[in-house]
Amino acid sequence: MTEAVDQNAGPLSNRITTAPLPHDPAAVARAFADLEERIAADEQLLPLAGLARQPQVRALLAGVFGCSPYLTSLVLRRPHWLAAALSTAPELRLADLGAVLEAEVAAAQSKPDAMQALRRYKTEAALLIALADLSAVWPIMRVTAAITEVADQALTRAVRFLMRLAATAGDLVPADPARPEAGSGYIVLGMGKHGAAELNYSSDIDLIVFFERGRARLRDGLEPETLFVRLTRDLVRLMQERTPEGYVFRTDLRLRPDPGATQVALSTAAAINYYESVGQNWERAALIKARAVAGDIAAGEAFLRELAPYVWRKYLDFAAISDIHAMKRQIHAFKGFGTIGVAGHNIKLGRGGIREIEFFAQTQQLIAGGRQRDLRTRATLETLDRLSRRDWITAGTAGELGRAYEFLRTIEHRLQMIADEQTQTLPTDPVKLERVVRFSGFATVEQFSTRLRRELETVQRHYGALFENVPELTRAGGNLMFTGDGDDPATVETLRRMGYREPSAVIQTVKDWHFGRYPAMRSARARERLTEFQPVLLEALAATADPSAALQTFDRFLAELPAGVQLFSLLRTNPSLLRLIADIIGTAPRLARILGRRARILDAVLDPGFFGTEPTAEDLTARIRSELQSAGDVQEKLDRSRVVGNEQAFLIGVRVLSGTIAAERAGGAYATLAGTLIAELQHAVETELERQHGRIEGGAAAVLAMGKLGGREMTANSDLDLIVVYDYPAATTQSSGAKPLASQQYYARLTQRLISAITAPTAEGSLYAVDMRLRPSGTSGPVASHLESFIAYQREAAWTWEHMALTRARVLTGPEALCAVIDRTIGEVLTTPREPVPLAADVREMRERIAAQKGSSDLWDLKQVRGGLVDLEFIAQFLQLRHAHARPDVLDPSTLGALTKLAAAGLIEPRAAEVLTGAARLLGSLTQIIRLCFDGRFRPEAAPDGLKSQLARAGEVPDLTRLEADLAEQHQAVHALFEEIVR
């Protein structure tokens, strides 16, 4: 930050062009008298007497003495500093002070010595900079740069001193003992105004400290965290601990990633991981101004270059703008800065203030800086100028905002110089306000107010124009206010009109969210985002069948949500997505729980093609293959398969719920997804097994889908019924790898690994439960079946119920030749002529056995109740086994498909066919909806009204009462047909 010094610049006393107007004449007289006494008592100060008699110097000192107790105390305590400041060019004097600091800290033998040198340097520099500011020798932005230079110098010398101590103790092995920080990997980033060289007079400094493990040169056995965390704590102490000499800079480390859970110094690798995974838009905005200010500058600059893709997105990023704008609105809403005023106005955070100018520039940087690199600037005025040159704003806008910024920063300094306080709020006390006015060079409060209002209104006009197209989400016809101790009567009335039964409970729930009771609401950012779309959220929930119940479900959803900022930002900018969530919450508790655990799954709903048809098998294969092929190892493949699998399953459910696809088509969609995942996981498992144990030359394995997967009738929580069949040449006895396995063992291990790949829970959850009991010999047989054994078993040993199950078999994966043999075998078995009477007896016996074990009289146990899905499946399977030898065209793994083909072949009477196919469609749709919305048993009395309405729509009846009556009648009809057909 140190600038080249003009050696020909004249002394400050000769360059004074203006001075503050004194506010307190009595204080001026006392201070001059005290100064004259001190000069008289010290002959070294005689040159100061001559300087003080110069009119311009006397006017400057009168303004200081009459307005600033803090600066007056500095002058009177250290008149030598005043003499040096007035008699030297401020540029030269500041450089001299830096050189003295460097020498004193280099000679310091203890931390107290270093602290004393640092404080002396800061305090004398503060007096020098104030005089150059108040006299207009330096323009305001040169003043902020000088303050920043002081901070940089202090940090640099402090870090070097601490590293010298660490080297002396043997903890650090520096490449250059004179500059131990160089090449150390210890990075101090200045943030905000510090990074932009725009520090204000009494500014805190915001720092983030990182370290790069690979660059740290430490003694053996010493972890970088241990040294650098300790060094950072010592650095903060050197900077901000108050001593009789004061302090250097108040230091804030809270801008670091996750400050509540991380150390004060953290590794660059951890930081990159944080920013890329959970970094927030406000952190991106903050990093715009980040600058390496101390420590290993080269490492710091390299680290910032590495962060550039995170900060500067390639595409327009209006979500970031929404976040920043919401922050600004929250400041106005909760701190009372709603209008432009003078007395009591905060010139930084209030309307038309400094922050609005900074936001104005930063928002457009975030939008365009990813593509236009020249907009990646730190300084506010430079950014405005470049935005103008790029035609993002007009030259007039840049000029007006620039002038307002310089004026407001000047007033900010006057406020802070009075008592060295970090304040930006104008006093409400008339006497104190008048002191600020005169210290700022205005003769009257009226003159000051006119100028201040003009600048604030200019800023507000430009800032308002920038955000005039930000959508307002509030559409409620009434008040919705959730602050204060009691219930706002107008809000109570609005909520009641919206349909909430207990408005006071709603108000308390919303207030609890803002108290941060849930993890998702712990951060202020999350609460700000929620506030932004709170009204439309309540409206969306009010549009459900039971608003109060929907709000309670959303509250539980929030309770399970690990973080909220990203989701709330997404919902804030996508009202249609919010309405969809309201539908889910009002209808499907199961989906709501999934959302609570995996809110990021909603990103996929934003795909423009989402509400079209469901993806084809080719689409899914491409998507899943892309996810898995980019994974580094098997574990990552498993994680990614679960991410994409759970995401796609959720999307199928949302499509059903939203009516994008009919419920009866969901079974096919779920089966397509499961089949695609099985195929890709089998490939991954085979690749890994081949890497470890080689190949079975000429061998291959196929996966058969049975049950609901085979019949393409899967629901949201179906298990997978699978059989693995393999074949290999008789001459091949073992695999070809360095660790060979016997052929049967090879395929057994392949099967076990495939089952594990499908079922094992990982950090990303689980996919499916797998049932292998339908394989030959059931649980007592091998997990995988050799082709010859499979064929022999199905032809010679299988029971009738196993052939019934085989009607739903479908080959999912495997080489074409092996699949053809399996398909041919299944076809031959199913088309074998059977005696009708024994067949019917076997089927009826199996049905009675199931009824004895799992039977139910519950109307809503759609599978097991007599006349339910089991009866329908048994009818279809019986008739296929009964007639397929003569009519192989009736074979179909789907129950509805088989019934339709049987009816078309004339094997079911038209009346019966109409009942059976209608029942298959209705029970299939109802089952899909219930399994989508609930994990356990369906109880109508406890179901959300939205789910009841969804079920009634599926049954094409007005309400659930009518649907239950139709169901009871249908169950009786199907059961009667079972008794009639299976005989």
Side-chain angles (χ1 to χ4, degrees):
M1 277 302 305
T2 304
E3 298 180 6
V5 176
D6 183 358
Q7 301 294 328
N8 299 315
L12 187 148
S13 60
N14 291 348
R15 294 158 61 186
I16 298 171
T17 60
T18 189
L21 301 177
H23 172 252
D24 184 348
V28 174
R30 288 194 302 272
F32 271 120
D34 286 349
L35 180 61
E36 289 167 3
E37 285 183 15
R38 292 174 186 274
I39 292 173
D42 188 344
E43 62 182 22
Q44 292 184 354
L45 291 175
L46 288 178
L48 179 59
L51 289 170
R53 285 193 291 272
Q54 294 178 13
Q56 70 274 21
V57 173
R58 194 165 187 85
L60 174 62
L61 292 177
V64 169
F65 295 157
C67 294
S68 172
Y70 169 67
L71 293 177
T72 301
S73 69
L74 289 185
V75 168
L76 297 180
R77 283 202 331 265
R78 302 290 177 89
H80 297 86
W81 290 0
L82 175 63
L86 291 171
S87 60
T88 313
E91 298 84 1
L92 292 170
R93 184 59 185 161
L94 189 61
D96 289 344
L97 292 177
V100 171
L101 173 69
E102 183 177 12
E104 289 184 345
V105 175
Q109 297 300 307
S110 66
K111 290 176 184 176
D113 291 342
M115 292 171 75
Q116 186 177 44
L118 288 164
R119 280 148 183 76
R120 200 160 44 233
Y121 166 69
K122 162 63 188 306
T123 308
E124 183 170 0
L127 176 60
L128 172 68
I129 292 168
L131 295 173
D133 186 355
L134 293 166
S135 61
V137 170
W138 281 347
I140 185 62
M141 300 320 294
R142 177 64 184 89
V143 172
T144 64
I147 300 168
T148 305
E149 180 182 333
V150 170
D152 288 358
Q153 287 278 359
L155 286 166
T156 297
R157 305 310 163 199
V159 169
R160 184 173 295 174
F161 168 77
L162 292 170
M163 287 197 165
R164 177 162 58 84
L165 293 185
T168 301
D171 290 339
L172 184 69
V173 186
D176 180 1
R179 298 176 63 248
E181 72 278 10
S184 66
Y186 183 75
I187 300 167
V188 182
L189 297 184
M191 306 296 289
K193 286 184 167 60
H194 188 183
E198 295 172 341
L199 284 177
N200 55 56
Y201 189 77
S202 296
S203 188
D204 299 349
I205 54 175
D206 292 299
L207 305 178
I208 305 181
V209 179
F210 299 109
F211 58 87
E212 190 172 332
R213 292 180 182 277
R215 295 173 69 99
R217 298 165 57 92
L218 311 181
R219 65 170 168 82
D220 291 343
L222 179 61
E223 286 294 320
E225 289 96 336
T226 303
L227 175 63
F228 291 136
V229 167
R230 184 178 73 232
L231 193 149
T232 303
R233 289 182 178 140
D234 287 343
L235 176 63
V236 171
R237 181 182 168 222
L238 288 182
M239 298 300 290
Q240 74 176 19
E241 186 174 292
R242 289 186 177 271
T243 72
E245 302 249 358
Y247 66 99
V248 190
F249 286 94
R250 292 176 296 269
T251 304
D252 194 335
L253 300 175
R254 290 175 296 176
L255 287 180
R256 69 184 186 275
D258 197 4
T262 57
Q263 294 278 18
V264 292
L266 64 160
S267 71
T268 53
I272 291 290
N273 180 64
Y274 169 85
Y275 286 127
E276 290 182 348
S277 58
V278 295
Q280 305 299 316
N281 280 322
W282 72 267
E283 290 172 305
R284 290 178 54 212
L287 285 167
I288 287 177
K289 296 181 181 292
R291 178 173 58 88
V293 298
D296 190 340
I297 299 295
E301 291 173 345
F303 177 62
L304 288 175
R305 285 194 295 272
E306 191 174 0
L307 280 180
Y310 163 72
V311 178
W312 305 108
R313 304 284 171 81
K314 291 182 180 179
Y315 307 104
L316 296 180
D317 193 350
F318 292 101
I321 308 315
S322 177
D323 272 5
I324 293 175
H325 186 60
M327 289 163 56
K328 187 68 172 63
R329 293 211 303 211
Q330 292 305 311
I331 290 169
H332 291 162
F334 293 109
K335 295 190 177 179
F337 304 134
T339 59
I340 287 178
V342 177
H345 194 78
N346 187 301
I347 61 170
K348 176 183 177 182
L349 302 178
R351 296 283 187 185
I354 294 166
R355 181 60 57 82
E356 285 192 353
I357 302 173
E358 293 169 343
F359 279 175
F360 182 96
Q362 279 182 294
T363 50
Q364 293 173 93
Q365 281 182 288
L366 283 176
I367 291 174
R371 293 167 299 123
Q372 298 172 354
R373 298 177 68 89
D374 56 319
L375 295 180
R376 300 180 184 184
T377 49
R378 297 186 180 101
T380 302
L381 295 183
E382 182 183 7
T383 301
L384 290 172
D385 179 61
R386 294 197 183 190
L387 287 169
S388 170
R389 280 189 260 158
R390 277 284 192 172
D391 292 327
W392 281 89
I393 60 176
T394 66
T397 297
E400 289 183 345
L401 289 176
R403 286 188 294 274
Y405 187 73
E406 291 176 325
F407 175 75
L408 293 172
R409 292 303 305 271
T410 299
I411 303 305
E412 178 184 42
H413 280 198
R414 300 302 173 267
L415 282 166
Q416 294 176 352
M417 286 177 185
I418 291 172
D420 189 29
E421 293 177 339
Q422 174 68 334
T423 181
Q424 286 92 8
T425 302
L426 292 164
T428 55
D429 180 272
V431 175
K432 292 180 180 179
L433 178 60
E434 186 179 2
R435 176 167 61 183
V436 174
V437 167
R438 295 184 66 79
F439 201 27
S440 302
F442 291 87
T444 66
V445 172
E446 288 73 22
Q447 291 175 350
F448 175 81
S449 299
T450 298
R451 173 70 187 279
L452 178 65
R453 284 182 182 276
R454 183 170 72 242
E455 302 297 354
L456 295 175
E457 288 169 357
T458 295
V459 173
Q460 189 180 38
R461 173 166 47 84
H462 288 301
Y463 182 82
L466 180 66
F467 289 111
E468 65 185 358
N469 293 322
V470 173
E472 289 297 333
L473 294 180
T474 305
R475 297 186 300 276
N479 212 40
L480 285 174
M481 187 175 73
F482 300 95
T483 58
D485 293 332
D487 295 348
D488 172 52
T491 300
V492 170
E493 179 55 34
T494 300
L495 290 170
R496 182 174 288 113
R497 192 167 62 248
M498 292 169 72
Y500 291 97
R501 293 190 301 272
E502 299 179 7
S504 292
V506 176
I507 293 171
Q508 188 58 53
T509 297
V510 175
K511 286 183 177 180
D512 286 346
W513 295 342
H514 290 280
F515 287 141
R517 302 283 165 78
Y518 301 144
M521 306 303 301
R522 296 277 161 79
S523 72
R525 298 185 301 281
R527 295 191 290 274
E528 287 165 359
R529 296 294 83 73
L530 183 59
T531 299
E532 284 288 324
F533 73 93
Q534 216 162 249
V536 75
L537 165 67
L538 292 171
E539 289 174 348
L541 296 177
T544 64
D546 187 340
S548 296
L551 180 68
Q552 291 174 5
T553 304
F554 187 81
D555 183 56
R556 290 194 295 272
F557 165 65
L558 281 188
E560 295 180 7
L561 200 64
V565 175
Q566 291 161 318
L567 174 63
F568 299 156
S569 297
L570 186 66
L571 298 181
R572 164 67 177 83
T573 54
N574 292 276
S576 60
L577 184 59
L578 179 57
R579 289 190 289 274
L580 177 61
I581 287 183
D583 287 341
I584 291 171
I585 284 170
T587 307
R590 178 180 170 275
L591 289 183
R593 284 196 298 276
I594 293 173
L595 270 184
R597 294 191 300 268
R598 301 181 180 278
R600 68 184 182 189
I601 213 166
L602 285 174
D603 290 346
V605 181
L606 295 179
D607 187 321
F610 168 72
F611 286 106
T613 58
E614 71 269 24
T616 63
E618 291 75 17
D619 295 334
L620 282 173
T621 298
R623 187 171 304 175
I624 293 169
R625 186 169 294 166
S626 173
E627 283 287 335
L628 269 61
Q629 285 182 346
S630 61
D633 55 25
V634 171
Q635 185 57 50
E636 189 177 356
K637 288 181 189 293
L638 297 187
D639 284 336
R640 292 196 180 188
S641 70
R642 281 141 180 80
V643 170
V644 69
N646 289 324
E647 174 187 282
Q648 292 300 319
F650 178 84
L651 294 182
I652 292 169
V654 174
R655 286 186 173 99
V656 171
L657 210 58
S658 63
T660 304
I661 63 173
E664 66 184 66
R665 284 171 50 197
Y670 285 124
T672 298
L673 173 62
T676 306
L677 286 165
I678 291 167
E680 292 305 315
L681 287 173
Q682 181 182 353
H683 176 72
V685 167
E686 286 176 339
T687 301
E688 181 65 12
L689 192 64
E690 185 175 322
R691 184 185 67 80
Q692 295 174 341
H693 301 288
R695 301 181 60 189
I696 300 292
E697 295 299 334
V703 177
L704 272 71
M706 309 291 286
K708 291 191 178 299
L709 173 59
R712 301 184 62 81
E713 297 168 344
M714 286 184 67
T715 65
N717 55 5
S718 289
D719 296 349
L720 305 182
D721 292 296
L722 302 178
I723 297 175
V724 176
V725 178
Y726 64 90
D727 192 24
Y728 59 88
T732 306
T733 58
Q734 65 179 24
S735 61
S736 60
K739 298 179 180 179
L741 294 175
S743 299
Q744 288 184 341
Q745 184 184 8
Y746 187 93
Y747 287 109
R749 187 163 299 183
L750 171 65
T751 304
Q752 290 163 345
R753 290 190 179 187
L754 176 59
I755 295 170
S756 178
I758 297 170
T759 61
T762 75
E764 297 295 341
S766 57
L767 276 177
Y768 304 99
V770 172
D771 191 338
M772 303 287 289
R773 289 176 296 177
L774 290 178
R775 68 185 188 270
S777 302
T779 56
S780 62
V783 291
S785 299
H786 189 279
L787 178 61
E788 289 182 358
S789 299
F790 176 79
I791 294 173
Y793 183 85
Q794 294 296 342
R795 286 177 174 172
E796 302 167 10
W799 293 73
T800 298
W801 68 267
E802 290 175 293
H803 286 169
M804 292 169 65
L806 203 63
T807 63
R808 311 186 76 185
R810 184 165 55 89
V811 182
L812 284 181
T813 70
E816 186 175 344
L818 178 59
C819 293
V821 174
I822 296 171
D823 276 332
R824 187 166 58 250
T825 299
I826 293 172
E828 290 172 355
V829 170
L830 295 181
T831 56
T832 299
R834 290 172 171 81
E835 289 294 330
V837 174
L839 175 64
D842 286 350
V843 172
R844 293 178 71 90
E845 179 186 355
M846 179 56 61
R847 182 66 185 97
E848 292 307 319
R849 185 180 302 174
I850 291 174
Q853 294 175 354
K854 302 179 180 180
S856 173
S857 59
D858 180 1
L859 181 75
W860 286 101
D861 190 344
L862 301 179
K863 180 177 181 179
Q864 298 296 345
V865 69
R866 293 312 301 250
L869 286 171
V870 172
D871 278 355
L872 284 170
E873 292 167 0
F874 274 38
I875 290 170
Q877 291 162 12
F878 167 75
L879 290 174
Q880 287 178 94
L881 294 178
R882 169 75 177 80
H883 297 290
H885 68 284
R887 294 295 303 266
D889 56 309
V890 300
L891 292 175
D892 195 295
S894 158
T895 300
L896 177 59
L899 291 171
T900 302
K901 289 180 178 180
L902 288 162
L907 299 174
I908 305 176
E909 294 180 0
R911 176 192 61 81
E914 183 179 351
V915 171
L916 293 175
T917 55
R921 287 192 177 91
L922 177 60
L923 295 184
S925 294
L926 296 180
T927 300
Q928 287 292 349
I929 294 169
I930 290 172
R931 291 291 171 260
L932 177 64
C933 298
F934 275 96
D935 284 320
R937 178 184 167 216
F938 174 68
R939 299 196 311 275
E941 66 277 7
D945 288 346
L947 174 55
K948 295 177 184 178
S949 299
Q950 188 92 7
L951 292 170
R953 284 195 298 274
E956 300 180 351
V957 293
D959 54 41
L960 199 68
T961 301
R962 173 64 184 274
L963 178 61
E964 289 183 326
D966 286 356
L967 268 179
E969 184 178 330
Q970 185 182 81
H971 289 339
Q972 290 178 0
V974 170
H975 184 212
L977 285 170
F978 177 86
E979 295 294 335
E980 178 184 330
I981 293 170
V982 186
R983 61 181 180 180

